[in-house]
Amino acid sequence: MSTTTTPEVRTRRSAPSYQGFIARHAATTPTYAAVLILLVLLAGAETFLPGNFLSPGNLSALLLDNAYLLVLAVGMTFVILTAGIDLSVGSVMAFTGVLGAQLLAQGTPAVVAVPAMLLAGGAIGLLIGVLVQYFHVQPFIASLGGLFLARGLAFVVSLQSIKVEEPTVLWLQQTRIRLDGWYITPTGIIALLAVAFAALVLHLTRFGRTVYAIGGNEGSARLMGLAVARTKVTAYVISGLCGGLAGLLLTAYSGAGYPRNGIGTELDAIAAVVIGGTLLTGGRGYVLGSLVGVLVFGTIKTIISFMGAEQSWMQIIIGGLLLLFIVVQRAIVARSERQR
Amino acid sequence: MSSPTLAAAPHPPRDNDGVDGARPLLELTGATVRFGADAALDDVSFRMFPGEVHSLMGENGAGKSTLIKAITGALPLDAGTLVLEGRPVRFATPYDAQRAGVSTVYQEIDLLPNLSVAENVLLGREPRAFGLVDHRLMRRRAAAVLADLGLDVDPASTLGTHPVAVQQLVAIARAIATDVKVLVLDEPTSSLDLDEVAELFDVVRRLTARGVAVLFVSHFLDQVYELCDRVTVLRDGRFVGEYLTRELLRIDLVAKMLGREVSELAERQRGAVAEPEAVPLLSARGVTTARGVQGVDVDVAEGEVVGVAGLLGSGRTALARAVTGVARLEAGSVRVDGAGARLDSPRRAIGLGLVYSSENRRTEGIVAELSVLDNITLALQAQRGALRPIPLARRRELAQSWVDALGIRPPDLDRPAGTLSGGNQQKVLLARLLALAPRVLVLDEPTRGIDVGAKVEIQNLVGELADNGLSVVFISAELEEVLRVSDRVVVLRDGRVVGTVESDDVTTGSLLALVARPDEDGG
């Protein structure tokens, strides 16, 4: 074997440019696919539906009607990136929502009630995270426990809907900042800030990179000296906090706290995250993709109601889309694995 | 053995004391690791000098991986000391070892396929500004480390999109970035092609030039001789010796690895000698797998036992798995009594009458929680399908007959199979396969890890089965055993047949020479 020194940098690995492109962008492809789907949906709705679908008012409502779901999806993205799952968030949203409404109804000032909602959500997230990390409970089971716990607590707080009349909370939804036909409310701003903050944390902090590392290979992450345990627990706490924040947004949006809110919403959040290109096996995906996923979700919902069709069609379409996306993702992952 | 008279214990020979009298960089003394009653490492000494490439040699179960785990913090030592740069150290985790400068690159890459090459090189000590990761600086630093090793890999690309060879080199780059002193490469070349191996060796030489000690573990003798300065041989968890590679003939190395033992059994008495000109029952032609064997031909006549000999990695297991439908056949054909089939699953092979017993009894054989009864009738029931259950009474009768015929102890059908001794588990496996009424039995290391008495029983059993007309392919790392059991022996080296010998015509020594390759290049 001629292993005499070859100091020249080898060129045989300079693949054709398209392969290099795929190598760089393998992880982002599913998210681009989600963007494409969103554009097709919007264009299709504009073309085939009567009326003006792409009006600024419609598009603004698309974000605002789904602000709570977006916040849940942000928290869910953290957890799914670690290859976990959090089924509790819909119930946590209901619990914190009704808890906040109750506190406000009793005359607690908003500056106390709102942090209490966030804390309650974070505490449930912490409980799930500790169960997952230190007691090695499957995330599915641990968060299922969290789901029942939070739902039960919601009913303990109140069996009925509690109307919110506290002006600060209502302000969040009723204030409309307008620009031409576009408008946004503080709830929408909060949701978008959550996305931006999450994107920053995930991409530019060691914590964020550790979240990805855990999803890639937990053992390797530990071997690299990354703080695996702390990071994993924190991911669930973030998801819980997002549940609390979503509770606030939903309470502001609907003007009331109701213990039956958000049944099944955790599944909507998971669907949005997956449609947005995050792999359920962890380690791959983007929080901006989850934003796109929520918008896809919302668009389909809007299209269905525009058409005056049954809402059950909504679930059928989302189900089909979800399956399609999972197959596409599998194909992408399988391809990049076959390359090795 | 933590006896206080350690100094008095005679130690096997050591050629040469250090490179130019240098002090060892890493020194392991009296290392003992026990798993239950068995010692996986028994009073083993091992040392590495700065700037050398050291090889660790031994067959399966010699204790190589245990030793690696012991010096990289993956396993605690039950006795013995580890000294790094003159200071005694004790690593609780692989991460501890890594921080002290002992890194391992495994065959299965221990990195993060979903992150960029740059992050894989530097994560954990990535450059940060105001608490935020500076990705651009990280890429630049990673590029510098990679260029230092002569690698042209885009640091921004996702690691998982690269071939294993590149990922391995990235793992080495990570070790460099964490100031490695001792780098362990565990079977690094088993999935690389020739160019990639050359590139890896190039990188290894760059490392040793900087004083890094590299432990190169491989079963490819050619590569060991090309790259390594020194070799430590282990056998059955014990230290055999430490040698300079250039002073150790290949055949001597192989002899030391395998060890010679006085045969405790006379030659097997054959009832009838198979006719050499008989039409083969099993005929495999040009068997080729992705990694393992290339163009191997094997014929087995009815009632014949054909042994397969070769070192670890010579393709003996790959051959067995390819002809029984366990591994994918890239090329070639397998026929039983003239009938062929696309062997894409063990099920198809069983349909042809070809059954396989894996070398991994625990993971691919016995279902430890199930009873002896269930284990024996498992394959037969699977073959019949769930819709045609065998009545319990019939199953008991069947299983009982095999327990009696093979002498399975204790003869208790309802005991969980996992509670039986290794030899009896092996017999249960044999019973399971024999219940299928096969025509060709492929046994991969059927006597590994079982006691001597049971070994002899299994060997005799194979003889009896052959006398009753069954064709057997018998694979074993122990040459004496292969010779004793088989009528003919096919010798494999580097995935090719290098010879076929009649058992009666050869001695263990000449077979050994064939296995190891004649030393025309002086070793």
Side-chain angles (χ1 to χ4, degrees):
Chain A
M1 231 176 289
S2 59
T3 42
T4 42
T5 47
T6 39
E8 265 73 41
V9 171
R10 288 169 187 77
T11 49
R12 76 184 159 84
R13 213 173 286 117
S14 305
S17 57
Y18 77 93
Q19 274 186 0
F21 180 85
I22 287 180
R24 274 170 180 270
H25 299 281
T28 49
T29 320
T31 304
Y32 287 139
V35 173
L36 190 69
I37 294 263
L38 179 61
L39 293 178
V40 167
L41 279 175
L42 290 174
E46 175 68 14
T47 317
F48 295 108
L49 290 181
N52 192 2
F53 191 87
L54 285 184
S55 71
N58 250 341
L59 294 177
S60 302
L62 187 62
L63 173 68
L64 300 183
D65 290 347
N66 295 291
Y68 71 94
L69 184 61
L70 181 53
V71 171
L72 291 184
V74 166
M76 188 68 75
T77 308
F78 278 85
V79 173
I80 291 183
L81 280 174
T82 67
I85 197 92
D86 188 352
L87 298 179
S88 73
V89 293
S91 299
V92 169
M93 176 174 75
F95 165 52
T96 55
V98 77
L99 175 75
Q102 175 76 302
L103 287 174
L104 293 172
Q106 288 171 350
T108 317
V111 285
V112 177
V114 170
M117 295 168 81
L118 298 181
L119 274 179
I124 293 173
L126 178 66
L127 176 71
I128 296 170
V130 167
L131 282 175
V132 168
Q133 179 59 36
Y134 296 103
F135 293 87
H136 303 287
V137 180
Q138 298 273 348
F140 186 97
I141 297 299
S143 63
L144 188 63
L147 181 155
F148 286 120
L149 173 70
R151 186 64 64 184
L153 288 172
F155 285 119
V156 167
V157 173
S158 167
L159 290 173
Q160 275 99 42
S161 174
I162 303 171
K163 205 164 169 358
V164 173
E165 291 170 34
E166 212 281 332
T168 326
V169 172
L170 295 180
W171 171 84
L172 288 175
Q173 183 62 26
Q174 287 164 355
T175 316
R176 291 197 170 186
I177 302 155
R178 294 176 186 280
L179 186 70
D180 294 335
W182 299 83
Y183 64 92
I184 194 164
T185 61
T187 52
I189 294 175
I190 290 173
L192 288 180
L193 280 178
V195 173
F197 186 66
L200 183 88
V201 166
L202 280 174
H203 294 283
L204 293 179
T205 65
R206 178 179 286 184
F207 164 75
R209 301 321 291 166
T210 306
V211 167
Y212 278 91
I214 292 172
N217 185 336
E218 198 174 326
S220 301
R222 197 169 290 126
L223 200 63
M224 288 183 171
L226 301 173
V228 170
R230 199 178 63 209
T231 303
K232 221 155 120 187
V233 174
T234 308
Y236 285 92
V237 171
I238 288 175
S239 183
L241 281 173
C242 284
L245 187 58
L248 174 66
L249 298 193
L250 186 62
T251 304
Y253 179 79
S254 59
Y258 183 47
R260 287 184 198 279
N261 267 339
I263 293 176
T265 307
E266 60 280 349
L267 302 180
D268 295 346
I270 294 169
V273 170
V274 171
I275 290 174
T278 300
L279 260 57
L280 278 174
T281 45
R284 288 165 203 256
Y286 298 94
V287 74
L288 286 175
S290 300
L291 169 63
V292 177
V294 168
L295 292 178
V296 168
F297 194 91
T299 306
I300 295 171
K301 206 156 67 176
T302 314
I303 290 173
I304 299 285
S305 57
F306 247 70
M307 289 165 59
E310 276 284 329
Q311 278 299 319
S312 45
W313 281 104
M314 160 82 192
Q315 300 191 338
I316 292 171
I317 293 173
I318 288 290
L321 207 56
L322 203 58
L323 292 179
L324 178 78
F325 262 70
I326 288 174
V327 170
V328 168
Q329 291 181 5
R330 246 342 281 169
I332 289 169
V333 172
R335 241 186 65 141
S336 66
E337 272 167 7
R338 191 146 19 92
Q339 275 204 344
R340 303 205 218 158
Chain B
M1 274 186 257
S2 52
S3 68
T5 56
L6 192 69
H11 254 292
R14 283 200 153 148
D15 301 344
N16 183 324
D17 238 276
V19 180
D20 308 326
R23 265 197 328 171
L25 183 61
L26 174 138
E27 189 160 26
L28 184 69
T29 333
T32 301
V33 175
R34 288 192 196 85
F35 295 118
D38 306 328
L41 274 189
D42 189 358
D43 190 22
V44 168
S45 296
F46 175 73
R47 54 185 191 165
M48 289 176 77
F49 292 94
E52 77 165 341
V53 186
H54 198 117
S55 177
L56 193 57
M57 299 295 291
E59 278 285 277
N60 269 332
K64 284 182 298 182
S65 38
T66 311
L67 190 148
I68 293 173
K69 284 179 179 161
I71 63 175
T72 55
L75 260 183
L77 285 173
D78 289 322
T81 53
L82 180 62
V83 174
L84 183 68
E85 292 183 308
R87 279 186 301 277
V89 286
R90 191 166 276 272
F91 303 136
T93 64
Y95 178 57
D96 282 352
Q98 205 181 82
R99 273 197 308 189
V102 181
S103 287
T104 318
V105 174
Y106 290 100
Q107 190 179 353
E108 294 298 320
I109 310 289
D110 232 344
L111 291 179
L112 303 164
N114 57 326
L115 295 188
S116 71
V117 168
E119 284 181 299
N120 273 288
V121 173
L122 289 167
L123 209 57
R125 42 168 64 193
E126 70 279 6
R128 287 189 285 186
F130 311 110
L132 298 184
V133 177
D134 186 341
H135 282 278
R136 189 180 299 180
L137 183 57
M138 176 155 67
R139 281 197 291 272
R140 216 181 304 141
R141 282 199 195 159
V145 176
L146 293 166
D148 210 17
L149 290 176
L151 308 177
D152 171 31
V153 187
D154 178 2
S157 58
T158 307
L159 182 78
T161 59
H162 293 289
V164 171
V166 177
Q167 296 191 30
Q168 208 165 52
L169 295 170
V170 171
I172 295 178
R174 176 175 181 85
I176 300 293
T178 52
D179 298 327
V180 69
K181 292 170 190 137
V182 176
L183 180 66
V184 180
L185 300 176
D186 191 3
E187 295 287 357
T189 57
S190 51
S191 48
L192 307 191
D193 64 31
L194 280 179
D195 283 348
E196 291 167 340
V197 169
E199 182 167 10
L200 175 72
F201 283 12
D202 195 24
V203 166
V204 167
R205 292 191 179 105
R206 284 177 192 237
L207 290 181
T208 53
R210 309 167 167 206
V212 174
V214 176
L215 177 57
F216 179 80
V217 181
S218 170
H219 52 253
F220 295 112
L221 283 185
D222 287 343
Q223 295 177 0
V224 168
Y225 272 90
E226 182 186 338
L227 188 67
C228 301
D229 306 307
R230 193 185 297 263
V231 50
T232 292
V233 179
L234 299 181
R235 189 175 64 242
D236 298 333
R238 287 167 205 272
F239 179 78
V240 174
E242 185 201 87
Y243 313 92
L244 286 176
T245 318
R246 63 180 139 80
E247 291 173 3
L248 183 69
L249 289 179
R250 246 171 239 251
I251 191 162
D252 290 337
L253 173 60
V254 173
K256 287 179 199 308
M257 282 162 61
L258 297 179
R260 313 276 201 109
E261 37 187 37
V262 184
S263 120
E264 59 285 285
L265 183 81
E267 290 292 313
R268 177 165 79 81
Q269 295 299 310
R270 297 294 326 264
V273 177
E275 291 162 38
E277 299 305 317
V279 180
L281 183 68
L282 170 72
S283 167
R285 284 281 161 274
V287 174
T288 302
T289 62
R291 273 166 213 141
V293 286
Q294 283 200 319
V296 171
D297 296 343
V298 178
D299 286 331
V300 187
E302 201 170 328
E304 190 186 27
V305 181
V306 171
V308 178
L311 290 174
L312 188 64
S314 60
R316 52 189 200 210
T317 294
L319 173 64
R321 295 176 86 90
V323 299
T324 52
V326 181
R328 222 167 72 97
L329 210 58
E330 295 271 301
S333 68
V334 177
R335 291 180 169 274
V336 178
D337 210 2
R342 211 158 57 86
L343 285 181
D344 52 5
S345 70
R347 206 185 170 83
R348 295 252 182 151
I350 290 171
L352 282 179
L354 253 171
V355 297
Y356 170 66
S357 157
S358 164
E359 59 178 336
N360 303 313
R361 188 171 59 237
R362 253 164 299 194
T363 54
E364 294 185 320
I366 282 292
V367 185
E369 301 78 17
L370 290 185
S371 66
V372 169
L373 169 71
D374 288 332
N375 265 287
I376 291 179
T377 53
L378 202 57
L380 186 61
Q381 181 61 67
Q383 196 192 22
R384 288 168 59 102
L387 296 180
R388 290 164 52 215
I390 312 169
L392 184 61
R394 173 80 194 109
R395 284 174 55 205
R396 292 197 79 89
E397 196 184 308
L398 199 79
Q400 190 64 53
S401 69
W402 286 112
V403 166
D404 295 341
L406 304 186
I408 294 171
R409 296 280 170 278
D412 177 0
L413 290 183
D414 301 311
R415 227 174 204 270
T419 62
L420 267 55
S421 71
N424 281 296
Q425 289 186 13
Q426 195 63 52
K427 286 187 197 170
V428 169
L429 277 183
L430 267 177
R432 178 195 294 169
L433 297 179
L434 293 172
L436 294 171
R439 309 193 63 188
V440 183
L441 191 58
V442 180
L443 301 176
D444 194 356
E445 299 269 15
T447 65
R448 181 153 106 205
I450 66 182
D451 64 66
V452 176
K455 243 180 204 182
V456 174
E457 276 187 66
I458 301 253
Q459 290 165 0
N460 289 342
L461 206 56
V462 170
E464 280 170 40
L465 290 169
D467 291 344
N468 287 318
L470 195 65
S471 303
V472 182
V473 176
F474 188 90
I475 300 173
S476 173
E478 291 178 36
L479 297 182
E480 283 92 346
E481 181 181 61
V482 174
L483 279 179
R484 192 181 307 135
V485 174
S486 317
D487 302 306
R488 263 184 319 129
V489 179
V490 174
V491 182
L492 295 180
R493 195 197 308 135
D494 294 337
R496 293 174 193 279
V497 176
V498 292
T500 304
V501 294
E502 300 288 326
S503 302
D504 298 341
D505 302 344
V506 289
T507 60
T508 315
S510 54
L511 189 56
L512 192 61
L514 201 53
V515 164
R517 120 188 309 209
D519 264 290
E520 67 271 343
D521 55 358

